[in-house]
Structure formats: structure tokens, C-alpha cells
Amino acid sequence: MSAHVIADDAEALAVAASLAEEFRAGASARDSERRLPRAELDRLSASGLLAVTVPADHGGADVSALTLAEIFRLLGTADGSLAQIPQSHFAYVNVISRQGTQDQRKFFFAELLAGRRFGNAQSEAGGKHVQDIRTRLESRPDGSYVLTGVKHYSTGALFADWIPVLARAEDDRLHVAYVPSDAPGLSVIDDWDGLGQRTTASGTVRLDGVPVPGDRVLPHHLTFEGPQLHGAVAQLLHAAIDAGIAAGALAEAAEFVRTKSRPWFESGVEAAAEDPLLIQRFGELDLEVRASQALLREAARAVDTARADLTDDTAAEASLAVAAAKVRAARAAVEVSSALFEVSGTRSALHSLNLHRHWRDARTHTLHDPTRWKIQHLGRFVLSGTRPARHGLL
């Protein structure tokens, strides 16, 4: 596999905007037919976008968090499923940047620059809570490991070259094992049947005695022993996807009203787009979209500031700014994608038009982690100065 190497932030944004337009054209059909976006992901890999956070001293563009968030927002405006697939990819690139040895960074950054994709085998079902990880990483006398467990919601795994697996070693500490997708004992099952984000293939990964060389395992637990941005960056990308879904839904609603909706007979206007009540509602929805984008940019800038000078205070500010952005973007995505029907009229509910994909994607993606707890952290900091916890979800 070979891929273009993106030079800087400006090129990354231009490539993302171009791909978003390309992906938008087939988004509805992919969703309605549940046609998995393998060709589109190959285009994404070949474009070089999946390597834009590789550090400059390894040949990458090392783009800002502001640029990375905008890349995801642009993709989210086009296809809420496709935008979700590389989110974990970048989270696990960050693990390598922070915890990888020089040899590990050299190897994996070269893989990324060649267009290789990381998947995700993180979440599990049946435990007490989301951080009750039971997948085990057992050491062998020769320094290698064996992985055993079952993972769910494994977005990207079906399309991946490497699948990062979150597991506990014998000391019960969290590690990440980077496993090639064709490793013996590893199986990826396409059993995702969510009402939204239908083409993410966020199914099950089974690990039945999967062998892992020692140099493919990283000590993820060390990430949380000091100031960190792992959670802030991961959540920033989730917020960007939601902001993108909201903007995409608003654009499609406006196009529908301009070209297909009929005016209400009492309005006295010739076109639905001239109805003052509809104009008012579109203005309100535009405010929601603008607010989500503004908070997203503010959060990304806070992450970039913290990257330049990482302390407990800057890390906390980044996490809180991202939390605020995530809450607002989640609300905007659900409200705007639902209001699409309100402003467009009865015809917009036709199943054949598939306009409901925006709401289904928004409703599904915003369940990823509860925004109510983000509001709790914001309130605690305001009242008592309590910094958010270092657990990777803030």
C-alpha cells in the first residue's frame, strides 16, 4: 500500500473538503443499502489524511488539533458513519506518540505514512461499567504475550490493517496490543445492527489465544499518571462528528425546503422558503450549528495550547473546553436532525428519501458517552475548582 504524504495543515483541510464532497454523493445509498465503505476508506488512506498527526521528525504533517477537528467535522457533514470509523485510529496514534519507544514509533509511523489503518478493540459488554476491561494479556517466557477476550463496538476493526486491543496485563494495568488484522486467533464479526451509523461495522472482535510480540505492546496505563490529552483529543473528534452531522442535516433541510417543500396555505407566500415562520426556525437552527462549531474551535485551541505547555492546569482547561463542545455539539446534532422534518414537511418523512439517516446517526453517535457527566465536571470546576479526572473520557 502507498499513500500521499500531506505536507501541512492547509493541504490537510483542502484534501478533507474535497473528500467530503466526494463521500457526500453516495452517503444515503450506502446507509440505506448498508453498503460498507471499503472503497471510500481506501480513498481516505491513499489521500494521506490518516497520517496527518504523525510527528514532523518522522515525516508527518503533525497538524494542529484545530485542523484535525475540522477534518472530522467536514467528513461528518457528508457521512456520519464514515466520519466515525477513523476516530479510534487517531486515538491510538496518540498512544504511540506518547508511550511508544523510539523503535515502535519509527515502525508504526512508517505504517501510517504508507496508508495503513488502525481499528479499535476497546469496549466490552457485560462488565460492571465501561472501564471494567476483562480482556487479558498474558506474558510468555520469551517476552511475548497472548491475548484472550471479546470486544464489542469495535468500530473500524473490520477495515483495519492493525487492531489496537485494550487489555489488562497480569499486574491488572491497562496496555494496548497492536495486532495485525490477520493474526491467528483473531476474528472480526460484522454483527453491528444499530439504528444509526449503520455502515461503521462496529461489531465484535474475538481474541482466542492471539500471539503478540513484546514490541507490539504499549503501557497505556502510564498515559494517565500525569497531565494528559488522550481523552480530550478523542472526545474532541466525537464533538467534531456531531457538529458535522448537525451542519449536514441543516444543509439538507434547507435544500429540501428550497426545492421540494410547499408553503403552508395561510402564509400567503409563493414559496416555502419565504415563509417567515420557517425563516425564523432556520435562523434558530443555524444558531445551534454556529454555537457547536464555535465551541469546537475553542476546544481545539485549548488542546493545542495544552500541547505546547502540558500541565495539570492546561490539561484540565482542555478537557473542560472539550466537554463543553461535546455537550453542545451532541445537542445540536439531535435537535437539528430532528427539526429537519419539522421544517421540511410531510414528504420529508418518506423512507425512500432516507432523510432520517441524519437523525439516526446523531442519536446513535451521541450515545457514545453521557453528556450529563460532562456537565457535572463543568459544574464541579466552576464551584470548587475540581479538575476533571484522568480516565480517557474527558
Side-chain angles (χ1 to χ4, degrees):
M1 181 182 293
S2 62
H4 173 68
V5 177
I6 288 175
D8 53 30
D9 293 62
E11 184 183 6
L13 291 173
V15 170
S18 176
L19 284 179
E21 286 308 305
E22 179 181 325
F23 296 158
R24 191 185 320 278
S28 179
R30 285 192 297 273
D31 174 88
S32 62
E33 300 166 13
R34 197 177 180 270
R35 176 157 40 86
L36 300 182
R38 295 183 186 276
E40 289 76 14
L41 286 170
D42 286 345
R43 289 278 294 122
L44 194 62
S45 288
S47 76
L49 277 183
L50 296 182
V52 293
T53 58
V54 170
D57 59 358
H58 285 270
D62 197 14
V63 302
S64 67
L66 183 62
T67 293
L68 188 62
E70 180 63 5
I71 289 169
F72 272 79
R73 191 194 70 82
L74 287 168
L75 294 176
T77 66
D79 187 333
S81 283
L82 189 53
Q84 175 64 31
I85 292 170
Q87 188 273 339
S88 291
H89 169 95
F90 284 98
Y92 285 104
V93 173
N94 285 345
V95 174
I96 294 170
S97 295
R98 187 171 174 91
Q99 300 303 338
T101 65
Q102 181 60 26
D103 286 344
Q104 287 170 330
R105 290 196 294 269
K106 181 179 179 180
F107 174 80
F108 279 114
F109 291 154
E111 288 284 283
L112 293 167
L113 290 169
R116 305 285 193 272
R117 293 191 290 267
F118 289 168
N120 153 46
Q122 176 171 295
S123 294
E124 299 179 10
K128 293 180 180 179
H129 48 70
V130 70
Q131 293 206 330
D132 183 16
I133 303 298
R134 300 182 180 186
T135 297
R136 305 308 299 186
L137 187 66
E138 299 178 12
S139 61
R140 286 175 164 177
D142 64 359
S144 66
Y145 296 88
V146 175
L147 268 174
T148 304
V150 180
K151 297 290 188 175
H152 300 269
Y153 311 116
S154 302
T155 303
L158 190 67
F159 314 108
D161 300 290
W162 292 89
I163 302 177
V165 180
L166 193 62
R168 294 194 184 276
E170 288 148 328
D171 59 5
D172 212 37
R173 292 181 173 181
L174 284 175
H175 291 69
V176 177
Y178 289 74
V179 182
S181 57
D182 60 355
L186 183 150
S187 57
V188 181
I189 305 165
D190 180 21
D191 57 0
W192 170 244
D193 66 348
L195 66 89
Q197 295 195 307
R198 299 183 65 216
T199 61
T200 58
S202 302
T204 301
V205 169
R206 294 189 177 277
L207 306 147
D208 298 315
V210 178
V212 184
D215 61 357
R216 296 294 180 260
V217 176
L218 279 71
H220 192 33
H221 61 93
L222 296 179
T223 300
F224 308 105
E225 293 185 3
Q228 53 83 36
L229 296 171
H230 179 80
V233 172
Q235 289 292 304
L236 180 71
L237 303 186
H238 283 304
I241 293 166
D242 288 338
I245 291 172
L250 182 62
E252 187 138 17
E255 177 65 14
F256 193 94
V257 168
R258 283 193 298 264
T259 62
K260 296 182 177 65
S261 294
R262 297 183 298 177
W264 184 243
F265 72 96
E266 292 178 288
S267 67
V269 297
E270 293 298 317
E274 298 170 0
D275 183 337
L277 297 181
L278 276 182
I279 292 171
Q280 177 71 19
R281 186 62 175 131
F282 268 97
E284 294 168 349
L285 297 174
D286 187 53
L287 280 176
E288 289 296 314
V289 171
R290 287 175 182 268
S292 70
Q293 293 174 357
L295 282 177
L296 181 69
R297 290 191 293 268
E298 178 181 302
R301 292 189 183 104
V303 171
D304 282 327
T305 296
R307 282 180 61 186
D309 180 22
L310 187 59
T311 66
D312 283 330
D313 287 336
T314 60
E317 175 54 35
S319 289
L320 292 168
V322 171
K326 181 65 166 62
V327 172
R328 176 53 64 188
R331 290 177 176 176
V334 173
E335 179 180 351
V336 176
S337 60
S338 176
L340 180 155
F341 303 99
E342 169 197 338
V343 297
S344 300
T346 306
R347 185 182 175 191
S348 64
L350 292 177
H351 184 72
S352 59
L353 296 176
N354 199 26
L355 295 178
H356 48 70
R357 73 184 185 280
H358 299 290
W359 181 85
R360 289 187 289 102
D361 285 347
R363 184 65 281 176
T364 301
H365 183 250
T366 55
L367 298 176
H368 184 274
D369 51 277
T371 56
R372 59 186 178 272
W373 275 99
K374 300 186 187 306
I375 295 172
Q376 280 283 310
H377 287 290
L378 290 166
R380 289 172 183 171
F381 187 79
V382 169
L383 287 173
S384 64
T386 302
R387 296 188 184 111
R390 299 171 182 160
H391 55 48
L393 290 172
L394 279 169

